[in-house]
Amino acid sequence: MFCFQCEQTAGGKGCTGKAGVCGKPDHTAVLQDALTGALIGLARASKGKSPGAAADSAVIDGLFTTVTNVNFDDESVRSQISRVLMEKEALGAKAEDYDMASLWESDEDIRSLKTLILLGLRGMAAYAHHAAALGYTNPEVNGFFYKALLAIGGEGTMESLLPLVMETGQVNLKCMELLDKANTETYGTPVPVTVPLAVEKGPFIVISGHDLHDLKLLLEQTKGKGINIYTHGEMLPAHGYPKLKEYPHLKGNFGTAWQSQQKEFDGIPAPVLFTTNCLMPVRDSYRDRIFTTAVVAYPGMVHIGNKKDFTPVIDKALELGGYTENHPMTGINGGTEVTTGFGHGTVLGAAEKVIGAVKSGDIKHFFLVGGCDGAKPGRNYYTEFVKSTPKDTVILTLACGKYRFNDLDIGEIGGLPRIMDMGQCNDAYSSVKVASALADAFGTDVNGLPLTLVLSWYEQKAVVILLTLLALGIKNIRLGPTLPAFVSPNVLNYLSENFSLTPIGTAREDLEKILA
């Protein structure tokens, strides 16, 4: 096997041997390469264009399956491969599938650019999958998957691939806009809410991942059954949606970010439903209570199929019974509650107050501190950074990286909290909307605002969000905790020269440079 798609890849170079750092066995990684090769074969057969809705769904689900910490199950991956091959055969084409070894062994710069595109597609497929679950699709987004996959399997030059890298980011902005529309039209515009971290006594279910549709179905199926529902990880922002808040048994948030699950789920007296990543290798102390759905799968775990009948999860919750007494929990910094719901609807609703605070000098600077969390050392930088920010600055945040600091109480400015959680990683669209509106209000572009992006990354959704920010021309982004192994020195030099993309240093030194 060879895999270097996540931030924690072995030695900062790539995972080889019997398993990846994520715990994925070599045989599963090889199958996922075969799935990617089949997807490129389908794009070849369709001549880089969408042949229809069934193929679109197979492509999106196939790409999503290969995102880090999503699918560890060989049979599930084989099923996805068969689905893709069936769509290719329906075209009556004989196009060969792509051998991924030719990508990993190609010229360093070409490999780097093609990998940026491929990983961007994987991240974008996750967002397209969630939108499609709510009945929202975009033909331009779906068609781009084929165009880009065809290019990945072709010859390619620096001159032909660099524009495609930027186009991947541009198309992803449309995909995130689509998902934002799907979520808000289905569940309402998020509103600020305080979410407790304690778990009440009695039966409960923990739901992890990103898929609000699965959460809604679970809430419906558990009504009146005496079972409470707790979000985990990236599902936390669900508490801000009005139509999900209507369910009184949606109680709070369990635990912190994904990389702590093996400790936090140890002996948990409740089932955990994974709707998307990040699933880690399952330990014996809670093996009998992990359930998966959609493209998430793990050997030996009960999988909830397309009918979305969560009866096995409900039965397990009643069987285990939950905690016998109220169970207090805290965030990383000892806080007992967190806030969320500060999407673009809320922030722009207070635009006059925000703009006034900037003009009066009450707000001197905005920081977007967001992205993925992870277990690799160095991520305490983000906690230290937020703690060190001056009291006249505001921290916007999103994705699971916020668990490093979202339980901190660092005060308010003009009635607004200094930490505003804008949502999941796919809610990066909210940050773009807010930044664009502020730029318009001050007669400048985003780069002219007192705004700095300090991002953390782990997997492929973070990659495609970065590509979107670059495609928008946003500069001076600080990225960490390490730079991607798949970015070659020449490509990194291009990004540094054209976008001033900079690796993080120390929290205090970076703050001094930003505010100088």
Side-chain angles (χ1 to χ4, degrees):
M1 68 171 286
F2 175 75
C3 183
F4 60 175
Q5 71 175 3
C6 83
E7 190 268 336
Q8 293 178 181
T9 195
K13 296 180 179 179
C15 293
T16 58
K18 294 295 184 182
V21 172
C22 68
K24 194 169 295 172
D26 56 350
H27 46 84
T28 307
V30 169
L31 277 173
Q32 293 194 353
D33 271 359
L35 173 56
T36 303
L39 289 166
I40 293 173
L42 175 57
R44 286 172 166 173
S46 70
K47 297 180 171 55
K49 298 185 183 301
S50 168
D56 293 350
S57 178
V59 168
I60 289 168
D61 287 355
L63 286 166
F64 193 1
T65 294
T66 61
V67 170
T68 305
N69 291 94
V70 169
N71 197 307
F72 294 77
D73 185 71
D74 288 0
E75 288 308 310
S76 175
V77 179
R78 289 192 183 98
S79 176
Q80 293 286 359
I81 294 172
S82 297
R83 187 177 167 196
V84 172
L85 294 179
M86 185 171 63
E87 292 300 330
K88 189 178 79 167
E89 291 167 5
L91 297 174
K94 301 296 183 182
E96 293 184 359
D97 295 340
Y98 181 72
D99 182 2
M100 292 295 289
S102 62
L103 173 57
W104 308 141
E105 297 166 3
S106 62
D107 171 83
E108 183 180 39
D109 293 330
I110 299 302
R111 180 183 72 172
S112 181
L113 293 173
K114 285 187 174 182
T115 303
L116 271 170
I117 296 165
L118 174 60
L119 303 189
L121 294 181
R122 289 176 175 176
M124 184 160 57
Y127 302 145
H129 173 95
H130 296 315
L134 297 174
Y136 290 71
T137 60
N138 181 323
E140 182 179 353
V141 171
N142 290 353
F144 181 75
F145 287 117
Y146 299 89
K147 173 184 177 180
L149 285 167
L150 186 63
I152 292 168
E155 292 298 323
T157 63
M158 291 280 285
E159 291 72 24
S160 67
L161 292 171
L162 272 170
L164 195 60
V165 170
M166 292 298 109
E167 188 178 356
T168 304
Q170 292 163 359
V171 175
N172 184 61
L173 179 63
K174 295 178 181 179
C175 188
M176 290 195 298
E177 181 181 18
L178 177 73
L179 181 55
D180 178 80
K181 180 180 180 181
N183 285 338
T184 54
E185 289 188 353
T186 305
Y187 304 116
T189 299
V191 296
V193 61
T194 299
V195 183
L197 300 180
V199 179
E200 296 180 13
K201 66 179 181 180
F204 68 99
I205 296 170
V206 174
I207 181 167
S208 191
H210 305 69
D211 202 300
L212 301 180
H213 180 59
D214 285 334
L215 172 59
K216 175 68 159 56
L217 293 175
L218 181 65
L219 288 167
E220 273 294 315
Q221 292 179 36
T222 50
K223 280 197 307 187
K225 289 184 165 59
I227 299 173
N228 290 328
I229 307 299
Y230 292 85
T231 56
H232 171 262
E234 282 275 60
M235 197 64 81
L236 167 64
H239 292 273
Y241 287 91
K243 290 189 179 178
L244 298 176
K245 283 167 54 66
E246 292 175 355
Y247 293 88
H249 59 301
L250 178 60
K251 289 289 185 177
N253 191 70
F254 183 98
T256 54
W258 66 272
Q259 77 278 359
S260 300
Q261 65 189 257
Q262 290 178 328
K263 176 182 177 181
E264 292 175 345
F265 293 166
D266 184 31
I268 181 176
V272 181
L273 173 64
F274 278 88
T275 66
T276 55
N277 60 319
C278 289
L279 172 63
M280 293 180 71
V282 181
R283 293 185 171 175
D284 290 341
S285 67
Y286 57 91
R287 180 175 295 275
D288 65 328
R289 53 209 70 180
I290 295 296
F291 297 81
T292 61
T293 191
V295 299
V296 192
Y298 194 90
M301 304 297 103
V302 176
H303 186 78
I304 306 298
N306 292 335
K307 292 183 179 179
K308 300 293 184 180
D309 180 358
F310 293 118
T311 299
V313 189
I314 294 168
D315 288 346
K316 179 60 72 171
L318 294 172
E319 173 195 332
L320 293 171
Y323 295 110
T324 56
E325 301 291 338
N326 291 343
H327 183 72
M329 300 184 75
T330 65
I332 288 177
N333 302 287
T336 58
E337 60 186 22
V338 294
T339 59
T340 189
F342 290 90
H344 62 86
T346 293
V347 178
L348 293 181
E352 288 187 10
K353 181 184 291 187
V354 173
I355 293 167
V358 174
K359 289 181 176 178
S360 68
D362 290 339
I363 296 178
K364 291 287 199 313
H365 206 90
F366 295 90
F367 296 99
L368 175 61
V369 185
C372 308
D373 206 351
K376 197 172 181 178
R379 290 180 179 270
N380 59 337
Y381 166 95
Y382 299 94
T383 311
E384 294 171 8
F385 189 96
V386 170
K387 283 183 175 180
S388 302
T389 54
K391 293 182 179 180
D392 55 5
T393 61
V394 170
I395 293 88
L396 306 174
T397 189
L398 46 79
C400 63
K402 62 176 167 269
Y403 281 103
R404 292 281 167 173
F405 52 81
N406 68 339
D407 63 321
L408 290 171
D409 181 3
I410 60 171
E412 298 182 345
I413 297 179
L416 296 170
R418 284 190 57 220
I419 297 178
M420 299 187 197
D421 176 15
M422 306 188 86
Q424 299 178 344
C425 57
N426 46 277
D427 291 314
Y429 179 71
S430 276
S431 66
V432 171
K433 288 276 287 184
V434 169
S436 298
L438 288 174
D440 290 343
F442 288 102
T444 184
D445 61 13
V446 172
N447 292 315
L449 290 172
L451 168 67
T452 303
L453 280 65
V454 184
L455 306 181
S456 57
W457 81 283
Y458 171 70
E459 43 90 321
Q460 297 75 67
K461 284 175 283 181
V463 172
V464 78
I465 289 171
L466 177 63
L467 295 185
T468 296
L469 296 173
L470 297 179
L472 289 168
I474 297 175
K475 298 183 178 182
N476 298 308
I477 297 172
R478 280 173 162 76
L479 181 65
T482 60
L483 294 178
F486 50 81
V487 174
S488 69
N490 286 335
V491 172
L492 178 60
N493 185 58
Y494 172 85
L495 296 176
S496 298
E497 288 185 354
N498 288 273
F499 299 98
S500 300
L501 183 68
T502 306
I504 61 171
T506 68
R508 291 193 178 274
E509 287 176 353
D510 286 353
L511 263 174
E512 288 176 4
K513 291 175 183 177
I514 292 167
L515 298 175

